[in-house]
Every structure is written in structure tokens, then in C-alpha cells.
Amino acid sequence: MKLSVIILNYNVRYFLEQCVLSVQKALENIDPNASGEIIVIDNNSSDDSCQMMKSRFPNVKLIENKSNLGFPKGNNIGVAKAKGEYICILNPDTVVSENTFTKILNFCHTEPVEVLNTGIIGCKLIDGTGNFLPESKRGVPTPWVAFTKIFGLYKIFPKSSWFTKYYAQNISENESGKVDILVGAFMMMKRSLYLEVGGFDEECFMYSDDIDLSYMVLQKGYQNYYRADTTVIHYKGESTVRDGTYMKRFREAMQFFYKKHFKKSVVFDFMMKLGSFAFALLKKNQQKEVSKKIDKYVVFTKKDITLELGKPTTYLNAFEKFKNEAKINTEIILILMIR
């Protein structure tokens, strides 16, 4: 078994369906002498995610948790059942390219000896409208780096190395290279390495778990990499509700990381409480903002319907046909799953 793809789901049934379809297609392109598997862990979704998986993908391994165990524990449960030499931690609200797994596996096997200490590998993430997601590559959020992020200094001084470490702006979005921190929406690594560092820390419910895992890998002497030669769509935040609970957990997650890895300071702790609250509030408000202009819609449906969307609209009855609609210069894509 070459690769195990671990997908933790919580109430995103339609995104999950797209994700699994794209993963199945991408796994067809890995080494013909190897095989891949998909493991879906459901954290007690209240929609019909599990029923959909059983009827639509009966050959995919499905683990049904009886409660929402959080991101770290849910993924750890999935990895414990994995058989692949490599694992890929993947969000359910993503769509991988057909070449994603082959590109990254080839990188692992064909690069020179200096890359043998490879830790976690991430890739270029874009949102549903084609915008690059800067969290695809990040630096270690030391107190100073976190300060520049929380107070937006990286935007005010975009060319200064003093202020641009949070999003690893020393390399561009289209340039592959070494980075410190990768995002939990897509993380690929050897299963043995994941087990060596103990997997995700289950003391953290969510939000800083990917930073923590990336940092633990660095501490073990490995190097993390960002690959710009393959792209994954991430419908960011679809499984997250930006409410008071979200803000509380986000603040707790930030404080968890600093207490675990950095020297405790009363002054800094106060700054982080204030800053993380402001940052969480900003993220909540951003969800209300209208994103980039949409030029066309792609609607997935098995019903004979017509929607008045005010823009050119294409109707498809199968996700596999979507790639014919996604041209390189198309930046918009809004997918509505209607059954």
C-alpha cells in the first residue's frame, strides 16, 4: 500500500462527495505497482454523510464516531487504521487535482539525497473562486511573527523580511521550496513519521493542530516543503461555523501552542489573548464580506431545474464532467450541490 488518504468529515456531505470522487481519480494515477486507499472518519455528522458514503462509495473504509471528537483525535483514529507507506491528511471540503499525489510522490522519490529528511509536504491551495490561500505556506509563529500577523504588519510592509515570515513570503505562491508550517487541509508525509511525532496533539481540539504538528516535525530534524506544481481547491471554512464557540476555541488553540512551545510570559499571554480575540473576530467578519466577482456558475443537479442566477450557468449531473468547465483562466467557480 503506497498511500492512505485520511478524510475527516463533519456535516459537509456534498463537499465530501466531491472530495472522494476527486481522490479516487487521483489515486488511479499513482504507481501502477502500488495501491492507495481512502479512509473517511465521520465525527457524528447530523446530515446524511454516512448514508451517502455507504450507498455512493461502499468500497471506501468508513469510520463512524459517536461524537464530535475534534480534528486531532479524529485524524489519529484514521491514521491508526491506515496501511499506506504515506498518508495524506485531507479536508473534506477540498478537490485534489488528478496529478496531486503523483507529483508529490515523485518529489519524494526522485529528489537528491539532501531531501531525504523530508517531513511534511503541502501544496498550492486555492479557494472556490480561484484565489490563492496564503496559509498554504507559513513560518513558525514565534511571538514576533504572530504579532506581525495579528496586527497586519505583513500587509503594511510586504517587502520587508522582518514582517513577512508568517506567510513565508520569501517564496512566491508559484515557487516550490522549504517552509516551516503547512496547513491541515492538505498534509502528506510518511506514516512512520506521523507516528514518530505522535500524530496530532489531542489536547488541542482544533485550529492550531497543524501548526503544532509541523513544528514537532521540525524539532525532530526534518524539513517541511511547499510544492507549487500541483493545486488543490479548498472551500475554506465550509465545515466551520463562525460563532462564539469558534472564537473561543480559536483563542484557546493559539494559547495552547504558545504555552506548549514558548516560554511563558504574563505580558505576552495578555497580548496573545487580546490579539487572538481580535484575529478571531476579523476571521468571523471576513466570512460576511463579498469575495471576488463571480462570472459564471456551475450547478450540479440530477433534477430538471433552471435557476435564475443572473450569470452564465452550466448544469452538470456528474462531478467528473466538471474538469471540462474549469479552464486555466477561469477564476470563479461556485458549485451548488442539489439533490
Side-chain angles (χ1 to χ4, degrees):
M1 183 73 69
K2 176 61 67 175
L3 175 63
S4 298
V5 182
I6 313 297
I7 306 171
L8 177 65
N9 177 69
Y10 181 64
N11 285 332
V12 286
R13 174 251 189 270
Y14 292 111
F15 286 96
L16 176 64
E17 182 177 3
Q18 293 180 64
C19 180
V20 173
L21 284 167
S22 71
V23 170
Q24 285 183 326
K25 191 67 177 179
L27 286 177
E28 293 176 2
N29 297 321
I30 66 174
D31 187 340
N33 296 317
S35 59
E37 65 174 349
I38 304 172
I39 300 175
V40 172
I41 310 95
D42 185 81
N43 260 352
N44 197 32
S45 294
S46 57
D47 60 9
D48 64 342
S49 292
C50 291
Q51 292 88 334
M52 180 277 294
M53 286 298 304
K54 291 173 183 177
S55 61
R56 189 86 166 82
F57 308 102
N59 296 324
V60 171
K61 186 178 297 183
L62 174 65
I63 300 172
E64 298 181 66
N65 292 331
K66 301 305 180 182
S67 62
N68 185 0
L69 301 178
F71 185 88
K73 189 168 185 176
N75 277 295
N76 288 345
I77 289 173
V79 174
K81 299 294 184 180
K83 299 177 180 178
E85 177 186 0
Y86 289 86
I87 61 167
C88 179
I89 304 297
L90 187 67
N91 266 30
D93 53 349
T94 59
V95 176
V96 301
S97 301
E98 291 185 12
N99 67 3
T100 294
F101 300 138
T102 55
K103 284 276 188 181
I104 295 181
L105 288 173
N106 287 341
F107 167 73
C108 294
H109 295 150
T110 62
E111 289 297 311
V113 176
E114 65 182 23
V115 185
L116 290 180
N117 69 332
T118 300
I120 306 172
I121 305 173
C123 68
K124 183 177 182 180
L125 301 179
I126 61 173
D127 66 17
T129 59
N131 295 314
F132 173 69
L133 294 175
E135 61 268 26
S136 301
K137 53 180 180 64
R138 290 172 287 177
V140 176
T142 60
W144 168 250
V145 172
F147 181 86
T148 64
K149 163 60 181 174
I150 290 171
F151 293 97
L153 299 180
Y154 70 100
K155 294 180 180 179
I156 301 173
F157 306 102
K159 296 183 179 180
S160 172
S161 60
W162 284 92
F163 303 100
T164 56
K165 293 181 180 179
Y166 188 88
Y167 286 129
Q169 290 167 260
N170 58 304
I171 60 174
S172 73
E173 64 184 79
N174 297 316
E175 177 185 4
S176 298
K178 297 178 181 180
V179 297
D180 291 330
I181 306 297
L182 295 164
V183 65
F186 182 98
M187 287 180 148
M188 195 159 159
M189 71 197 83
K190 281 198 169 183
R191 180 165 57 92
S192 59
L193 173 59
Y194 187 92
L195 298 176
E196 179 183 345
V197 299
F200 286 111
D201 190 331
E202 296 180 12
E203 293 298 315
C204 178
F205 189 82
M206 62 191 326
Y207 300 130
S208 68
D209 33 54
D210 50 2
I211 299 175
D212 181 58
L213 183 65
S214 298
Y215 191 66
M216 288 194 295
V217 167
L218 293 176
Q219 289 182 312
K220 286 288 186 178
Y222 297 93
Q223 178 61 62
N224 300 325
Y225 287 86
Y226 164 76
R227 301 299 302 175
D229 52 357
T230 185
T231 302
V232 169
I233 301 174
H234 180 206
Y235 299 98
K236 185 178 175 183
E238 291 301 333
S239 57
T240 302
V241 178
R242 264 47 170 187
D243 55 11
T245 301
Y246 161 79
M247 294 172 65
K248 178 176 180 292
R249 286 178 178 166
F250 185 85
R251 292 198 306 274
E252 291 173 347
M254 292 287 287
Q255 291 157 15
F256 164 82
F257 179 75
Y258 286 99
K259 288 180 180 178
K260 180 176 179 178
H261 296 292
F262 294 95
K263 184 177 180 180
K264 185 174 178 60
S265 164
V266 175
V267 175
F268 180 68
D269 188 53
F270 173 76
M271 288 179 59
M272 282 310 304
K273 286 181 179 179
L274 179 64
S276 60
F277 177 82
F279 189 31
L281 186 62
L282 175 64
K283 290 173 74 73
K284 180 181 179 180
N285 291 336
Q286 283 177 342
Q287 186 158 298
K288 299 177 181 178
E289 296 177 359
V290 178
S291 63
K292 200 172 170 184
K293 179 186 175 185
I294 294 176
D295 296 321
K296 85 184 263 192
Y297 291 87
V298 177
V299 178
F300 287 90
T301 179
K302 292 189 176 181
K303 296 181 179 180
D304 184 16
I305 62 172
T306 301
L307 302 178
E308 296 296 332
L309 299 174
K311 298 287 182 181
T313 304
T314 299
Y315 294 87
L316 301 177
N317 59 14
F319 177 72
E320 291 86 344
K321 297 178 182 179
F322 176 62
K323 63 182 180 180
N324 297 323
E325 296 294 326
K327 306 302 182 184
I328 294 176
N329 60 352
T330 302
E331 296 181 339
I332 40 23
I333 301 170
L334 174 68
I335 299 180
L336 304 177
M337 299 295 294
I338 301 173
R339 292 280 180 164

